[in-house]
């Protein structure tokens, strides 16, 4: 399943599965957007762009076009 | 003296700690060959003193923004010697991302120690860190310090003295060589793979170090952000905060500015009494001290505005302002990050142009820098105040608007609107292709740390004092010369005319003499010379002189006008000059010479023209050439001229 981070539901936990390979990859990786990390869409700026995500334990603002580079999978809920 | 560098992510508490450790000994210095400033301070210890360097917060050594590159150049010793040791400041609530930087820096083999901050925040989020395990994994001493409380600041002092070459968390091939190549501008392949590998290795460390990490991750920050970033409320809050900012500045700066003015007035009276009367005493009094006063009187406004912006930055709000404005800023070729230098531009363009260094994209940085001077800085305010009080009666209302405040607000808005238009134009003509990037951490809200904010605001004031101060004082002395000397025949004629006036027994003969002499001086000649060019804007030769002297710094306009209208020293304020100016009649149309059309026209001129030599000098430093300062001088000068011309003629129809 190929969901990118700009299409997440609010306040739902996902896991980063991969990054699109381009000029931004390095920056996103540095900021902790690496496969296996938990990601959650928190809120957006007026107009829906940029978007604030929780990455691991901090909040990161990304433009929609930047969030498109992050592939995610829904987190498996363990009961 | 041993040199120790503080390194850490942005928002990790580094600057607070630096302030606590160095106290008042801080100084900024330029790295040789660059314009980037580092802040350093002396730490006094029992045995010896240390030099502590505060480097900008970074996430990774592969950094591109001007201020981030400084960290790399310091660590690999490009412009100066490598530091003797490093102290990492790690935010315990954000360990993974913080360890990335440690894993890179560790490969440089510099002895290090580590200070763990925000352990309390981490605990609140139910993250518990095993400090001993972290110490073993990193191979360096780790101490826990809360930079905001006094209890364990002593640990930090110990951490400065006790360092070791640590373990490398993740070893990568020829790291230092590659880092150097990257710094010099070569593209390096495989960086993102390297970063991913580092994170995998960091995960192994984190597994041993973080004892317990579940629990609720919700916190107040997200709740506050719901309002701050709300589509309607968020924008209202933004405008409210900006309004409060400016109202706060006017309100708070009023008293200290009065003290400074009174202080100088007292000082000048004292000089009058003690110095022998004569040319050199006049030079000291009117040439040198007026210049110094012209600089100092702005310090309260600039300091208070940067202090308030500092509070907003430190609390975490300014980042949200960047977040909510990014969409609009992007459309006009700027970046959400541009909002901080732009707001700072209302205080003083000089430190604000320097603040653009944190914008990574070169084109966005340049455009931000180019439009900052259009924000009405604090030096324009006294000009606006004089002109508005001159032409617009206090009691006047235009429709529902109080006329005076309406004109003042319009002047500020005119600057903003023209800045936006020029951003679009510069963006259109700049064909550099470089991908725009936002990627901005939204830090947890915290109550601002007053001491840190004060010292940051003071550093900005200092850059105004040093950059603008010298220029203003030198030109003030030159101007004194120009207005006190003139072609011999003209000056002689003025003197003999003055004698006749004196012989007639006119009560203000000495003032008339001054006025005649000024008209005969070089400054008077220059004013007359440019008069034909400015008559279409509604200005006379006196305004011409003031326009020229304003190129030192805009507020000099007020001082020049007061000299030209010979306001007696004890009445040398806006009211005094105003009374004299209001009495003048335009010989061509019989209307008041300095009426509404004149004032509005001149306000437009001042709002747009790049009349600040110091701003041009700083822009030259930051862009590396005179191209942009000179271009802007003519472009903004042209806009200023045209809009002043239009304003004068339109308003002349109605007033």
């Amino acid at each position: 399943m190929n969901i990118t981070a700009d299409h997440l539901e609010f306040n739902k936990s996902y896991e980063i599965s991969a990054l699109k390979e381009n000029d931004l990859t390095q920056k996103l990786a540095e900021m902790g957007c690496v496969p296996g990390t938990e990601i959650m869409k928190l809120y957006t700026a007026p107009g829906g762009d940029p978007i604030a995500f929780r990455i691991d334990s901090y909040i990161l603002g990304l433009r929609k076009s930047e969030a498109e580079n992050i592939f995610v999978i829904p987190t498996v809920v363990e009961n | 003296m041993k040199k120790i560098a503080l390194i850490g992510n942005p928002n990790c508490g580094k600057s607070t700690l630096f302030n606590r450790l160095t106290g008042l000994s801080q100084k900024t210095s330029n790295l040789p060959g660059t314009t980037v400033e580092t802040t350093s301070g002396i730490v006094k210890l029992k045995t010896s003193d240390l030099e502590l360097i505060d480097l900008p917060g970074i996430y990774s050594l592969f950094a591109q923004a001007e201020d981030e590159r400084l960290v790399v150049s310091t660590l690999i010793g490009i412009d100066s010697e490598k530091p003797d040791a490093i102290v990492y400041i790690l935010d315990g609530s954000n360990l993974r991302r913080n360890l990335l930087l440690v894993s890179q820096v560790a490969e440089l083999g510099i002895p290090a120690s580590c200070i763990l901050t925000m352990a309390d925040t981490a605990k609140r989020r139910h993250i518990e860190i095993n400090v001993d395990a972290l110490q073993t994994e990193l191979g360096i001493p780790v101490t826990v310090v809360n930079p905001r409380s006094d209890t364990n600041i002593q640990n930090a002092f110990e951490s400065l003295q006790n360092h070791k070459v640590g373990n490398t968390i993740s070893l990568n091939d020829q790291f230092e060589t590659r880092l150097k190549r990257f710094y010099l501008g070569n593209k390096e392949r495989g960086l993102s793979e390297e970063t991913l590998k580092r994170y995998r290795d960091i995960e192994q460390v984190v597994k041993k170090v973080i004892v317990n990490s579940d629990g609720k991750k919700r916190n107040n920050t997200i709740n506050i952000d719901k309002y701050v970033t709300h589509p309607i409320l968020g924008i209202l809050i933004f405008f409210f905060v900006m309004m409060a900012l400016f109202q706060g500045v006017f309100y708070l700066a009023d008293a200290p500015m009065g003290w400074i003015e009174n202080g100088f007035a007292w000082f000048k009276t004292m000089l009058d009494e003690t110095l022998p009367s004569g040319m050199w005493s006049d030079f000291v009094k009117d040439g040198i001290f007026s210049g110094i006063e012209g600089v100092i009187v702005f310090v309260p406004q600039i300091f208070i505005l940067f202090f308030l912006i500092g509070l907003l930055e430190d609390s975490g709000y300014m980042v949200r302002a960047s977040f909510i404005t990014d969409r609009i800023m992007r459309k006009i070729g700027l970046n959400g990050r541009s909002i901080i230098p732009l707001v700072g531009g209302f205080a003083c363009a000089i430190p604000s142009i320097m603040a653009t260094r944190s914008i990574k994209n070169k084109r966005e940085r340049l455009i931000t820098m180019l439009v900052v001077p259009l924000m009405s800085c604090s030096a324009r305010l006294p000009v606006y105040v004089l002109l508005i009080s001159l032409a617009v009666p206090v009691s006047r209302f235009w429709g529902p608007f109080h006329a005076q405040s309406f004109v003042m607000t319009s002047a500020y808005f005119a600057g903003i609107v023209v800045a936006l238009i020029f951003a679009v134009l510069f963006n259109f003509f700049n064909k550099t292709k470089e991908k725009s990037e936002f990627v901005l951490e939204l830090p947890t809200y915290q109550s601002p740390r007053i001491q840190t904010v004060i010292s940051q605001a003071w550093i900005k004031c200092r850059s105004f004092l040093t950059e603008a101060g010298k220029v203003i004082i030198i030109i003030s002395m030159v101007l004194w010369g120009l207005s006190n000397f003139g072609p011999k025949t003209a000056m002689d004629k003025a003197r003999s005319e003055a004698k006749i006036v004196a012989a007639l027994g006119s009560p203000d003969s000495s003032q008339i003499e001054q006025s005649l002499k000024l008209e005969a001086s070089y400054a008077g000649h220059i004013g007359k010379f440019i008069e034909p060019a400015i008559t279409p804007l509604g200005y006379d030769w006196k305004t011409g002189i003031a326009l020229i002297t304003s190129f030192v710094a805009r507020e000099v306009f007020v001082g020049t006008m007061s000299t030209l209208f010979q306001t007696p020293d004890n009445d040398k304020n806006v009211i005094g000059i105003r009374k004299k100016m209001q009495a003048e009649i335009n010989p061509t149309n019989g209307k008041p010479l300095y009426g509404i059309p004149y004032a509005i026209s001149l306000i437009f001129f001042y709002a747009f023209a790049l009349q600040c030599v110091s701003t041009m000098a700083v822009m030259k430093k930051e862009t590396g050439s005179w191209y942009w300062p000179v271009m802007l001088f003519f472009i903004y000068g042209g806009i200023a001229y045209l809009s002043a011309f239009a304003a004068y003629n339109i308003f002349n129809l109605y007033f």
Side-chain angles (χ1 to χ4, degrees):
Chain A
M1 205 167 34
N2 271 347
I3 316 173
T4 52
D6 53 321
H7 286 111
L8 305 189
E9 279 175 48
F10 282 103
N11 301 317
K12 204 178 148 194
S13 177
Y14 296 80
E15 190 185 298
I16 297 176
S17 58
L19 295 177
K20 209 180 272 175
E21 199 58 52
N22 57 28
D23 289 350
L24 199 67
T25 323
Q26 161 68 359
K27 179 71 189 174
L28 290 175
E30 280 171 1
M31 299 303 290
C33 303
V34 292
T37 306
E38 189 193 346
I39 182 171
M40 184 187 276
K41 182 177 172 183
L42 296 173
Y43 46 83
T44 72
D49 189 18
I51 307 167
F53 294 98
R54 202 183 57 223
I55 307 286
D56 191 10
S57 55
Y58 81 101
I59 307 171
L60 180 66
L62 292 176
R63 287 178 181 165
K64 260 187 178 169
S65 58
E66 292 166 342
E68 278 171 12
N69 295 294
I70 304 174
F71 293 107
V72 302
I73 46 172
T75 313
V76 188
V77 185
E78 293 165 39
N79 282 320
Chain B
M1 204 175 350
K2 263 195 166 178
K3 220 167 77 174
I4 295 182
L6 289 185
I7 293 197
N9 280 188
N11 317 307
C12 66
K14 193 166 54 59
S15 296
T16 313
L17 199 65
F18 176 77
N19 272 309
R20 296 291 300 272
L21 293 172
T22 59
L24 295 172
S25 72
Q26 293 173 26
K27 61 175 188 348
T28 55
S29 54
N30 274 351
L31 274 180
T34 65
T35 58
V36 183
E37 278 172 345
T38 50
T39 312
S40 64
I42 308 292
V43 184
K44 294 205 182 300
L45 297 168
K46 273 172 225 139
T47 47
S48 62
D49 290 353
L50 296 173
E51 187 189 355
L52 197 62
I53 312 167
D54 186 21
L55 295 171
I58 53 168
Y59 298 103
S60 154
L61 291 181
F62 294 97
Q64 284 154 356
E66 211 51 46
D67 56 345
E68 298 173 323
R69 283 168 53 86
L70 168 72
V71 183
V72 184
S73 76
T74 308
L75 289 182
I76 55 181
I78 286 198
D79 298 306
S80 55
E81 272 177 47
K82 280 189 184 185
D84 298 297
I86 292 169
V87 177
Y88 299 115
I89 315 294
L90 291 194
D91 171 359
S93 63
N94 225 322
L95 207 53
R96 287 183 185 82
R97 205 194 59 205
N98 278 252
L99 283 175
L100 174 73
L101 183 64
V102 176
S103 87
Q104 292 178 337
V105 178
E107 293 196 41
L108 301 175
I110 304 171
S113 60
C114 172
I115 291 177
L116 192 65
T117 62
M118 317 259 178
D120 51 330
T121 322
K123 213 170 212 166
R124 240 183 291 134
R125 296 197 202 152
H126 303 276
I127 305 171
E128 214 162 296
I129 297 163
N130 181 338
V131 177
D132 288 338
L134 185 62
Q135 200 153 283
T136 320
E137 288 299 319
L138 299 181
I140 54 174
V142 178
T143 31
V144 179
V145 172
N146 178 354
R148 312 185 66 170
S149 86
D150 283 312
T151 47
N152 45 18
I153 197 84
Q154 211 50 46
N155 298 348
F157 282 106
E158 269 154 39
S159 185
L160 295 182
Q161 293 163 286
N162 185 11
H163 13 74
K164 274 197 204 151
V165 177
N167 305 334
T168 44
I169 300 173
S170 178
L171 207 55
N172 290 269
D173 230 14
Q174 292 186 305
F175 179 74
E176 192 164 345
T177 326
R178 288 172 57 215
L179 181 61
K180 268 187 192 154
R181 279 205 304 255
F182 178 88
Y183 180 82
L184 296 173
N186 296 317
K187 263 213 149 156
E188 281 298 309
R189 289 171 164 276
L191 280 183
S192 49
E193 285 85 354
E194 184 194 307
T195 309
L196 295 184
K197 176 174 178 290
R198 282 184 195 281
Y199 267 107
R200 281 195 296 275
D201 296 336
I202 287 166
E203 200 52 47
Q204 299 310 310
V205 173
V206 169
K207 265 190 192 144
K208 294 177 197 157
V209 170
I210 294 189
V211 188
N212 169 7
S213 90
D214 57 24
K216 281 189 291 180
K217 282 185 179 170
R218 261 180 177 277
N219 57 33
N220 288 335
T221 292
I222 297 173
N223 293 332
I224 298 172
D225 274 343
K226 289 260 152 71
Y227 300 104
V228 169
T229 63
H230 186 273
I232 297 157
L233 209 57
I235 290 167
L236 287 178
I237 292 174
F238 176 74
F239 281 111
F240 176 78
V241 168
M242 292 298 136
M243 292 267 285
L245 192 66
F246 293 115
Q247 291 301 321
V249 172
F250 296 144
Y251 179 73
L252 293 171
D254 201 43
M257 285 176 86
W259 302 332
I260 290 172
E261 276 165 359
N262 291 336
F264 270 94
W266 172 83
F267 193 71
K268 278 187 191 160
T269 334
M270 205 189 69
L271 284 180
D272 264 345
E273 284 161 7
T274 49
L275 290 177
S277 67
M279 193 180 77
W280 288 108
S281 307
D282 281 352
F283 175 70
V284 170
K285 200 160 56 90
D286 296 327
I288 299 177
F289 279 101
S290 298
I292 297 176
E293 180 180 359
V295 178
I296 308 274
V297 81
F298 286 101
V299 170
Q301 263 185 16
I302 294 178
F303 180 82
I304 291 169
L305 188 47
F306 279 121
F307 174 76
L308 296 177
I309 294 174
L311 290 183
L312 292 176
E313 269 190 272
D314 207 49
S315 66
Y317 182 75
M318 273 326 248
V319 173
R320 271 73 184 182
S322 297
F323 182 73
I324 61 175
T325 54
D326 180 64
R327 197 157 163 263
I328 298 164
M329 296 295 225
R330 200 187 320 163
K331 287 202 174 122
I332 57 171
L334 300 175
N335 188 301
R337 285 179 167 82
S338 310
I339 196 81
I340 296 172
L342 289 179
V343 174
F346 289 110
C348 176
I350 295 161
S352 305
I353 287 174
M354 296 180 182
T356 59
R357 286 172 192 157
S358 62
I359 302 171
K360 182 185 130 191
N361 182 301
K362 293 213 168 54
R363 194 187 65 205
E364 289 170 348
R365 178 175 176 219
L366 178 68
I367 298 176
T368 309
M369 219 187 281
L370 296 181
V371 300
V372 160
L374 289 169
M375 301 289 123
S376 282
C377 65
S378 49
R380 278 145 164 138
L381 187 64
V383 180
Y384 293 165
V385 169
L386 171 65
L387 292 170
I388 289 171
S389 70
L390 176 73
V392 188
V394 188
S395 54
R396 186 121 176 208
F397 277 81
W398 288 334
F401 302 108
H402 179 228
Q404 284 195 342
S405 347
F406 181 78
V407 176
M408 180 71 95
T409 318
S410 312
Y412 276 84
F413 263 99
I416 298 171
V417 170
V418 172
L420 299 184
I421 295 172
F422 270 98
V424 174
L425 289 176
F426 289 135
N427 192 36
F428 182 77
F429 287 111
N430 191 322
K431 296 293 176 214
T432 337
K433 286 248 157 44
E434 191 186 343
K435 215 161 180 211
S436 168
E437 189 183 293
F438 184 66
V439 192
L440 186 64
E441 177 180 1
L442 304 172
T444 313
Y445 285 107
Q446 55 176 4
S447 57
R449 297 147 299 186
I450 304 297
Q451 203 196 352
T452 314
V453 174
I454 287 179
S455 77
Q456 304 279 340
W458 175 237
I459 287 172
K460 295 214 164 91
C461 268
R462 216 157 38 179
S463 70
F464 161 76
L465 283 172
T466 52
E467 299 295 331
K470 357 177 231 229
V471 183
I472 296 177
I473 291 168
I474 290 170
I475 308 221
S476 163
M477 296 191 316
V478 173
L479 278 178
W480 180 86
L482 284 178
S483 46
N484 276 275
F485 298 98
K488 196 171 176 308
T489 46
M491 290 300 269
D492 285 344
K493 198 172 152 239
R495 271 190 212 104
S496 56
E497 275 173 20
K499 271 192 195 127
I500 300 170
V501 176
L504 292 174
S506 161
D508 36 37
S509 59
S510 77
Q511 285 177 30
I512 294 173
E513 181 188 348
Q514 265 191 37
S515 167
L516 288 168
K517 266 165 79 178
L518 190 72
E519 195 171 347
S521 71
Y522 290 114
H525 279 79
I526 298 172
K528 289 257 168 72
F529 177 73
I530 66 161
E531 196 172 22
I534 55 174
T535 312
L537 311 185
Y539 312 153
D540 60 341
W541 64 273
K542 288 183 181 173
T543 316
I545 300 176
L547 275 184
I548 289 170
T549 59
S550 297
F551 278 91
V552 189
R554 297 161 173 108
E555 77 282 3
V556 173
F557 177 85
V558 179
T560 310
M561 283 315 234
S562 77
T563 312
L564 288 168
F565 286 93
Q566 291 84 48
T567 338
D569 261 351
N570 55 17
D571 203 14
K572 209 170 195 168
N573 50 34
V574 169
I575 304 162
I577 312 166
R578 195 180 67 196
K579 275 189 244 157
K580 293 227 168 190
M581 286 181 79
Q582 277 169 338
E584 300 261 337
I585 297 293
N586 188 338
T588 53
N589 58 12
K591 291 182 188 174
L593 181 55
Y594 305 108
I596 289 184
Y598 169 88
I600 306 269
S601 155
L602 209 47
I603 287 172
F604 272 110
F605 193 90
Y606 274 85
F608 303 140
L610 185 61
Q611 279 168 306
C612 178
V613 180
S614 326
T615 301
M616 291 175 70
V618 168
M619 203 177 277
K620 188 252 159 187
K621 255 196 202 170
E622 298 286 328
T623 58
S625 87
W626 279 107
Y627 176 81
W628 276 114
V630 171
M631 282 292 278
L632 286 193
F633 180 81
F634 286 107
I635 298 174
Y636 292 164
I639 294 296
Y641 190 90
L642 292 176
S643 56
F645 176 75
Y648 180 69
N649 287 293
I650 292 167
F651 277 86
N652 227 352
L653 300 176
Y654 299 98
F655 293 94

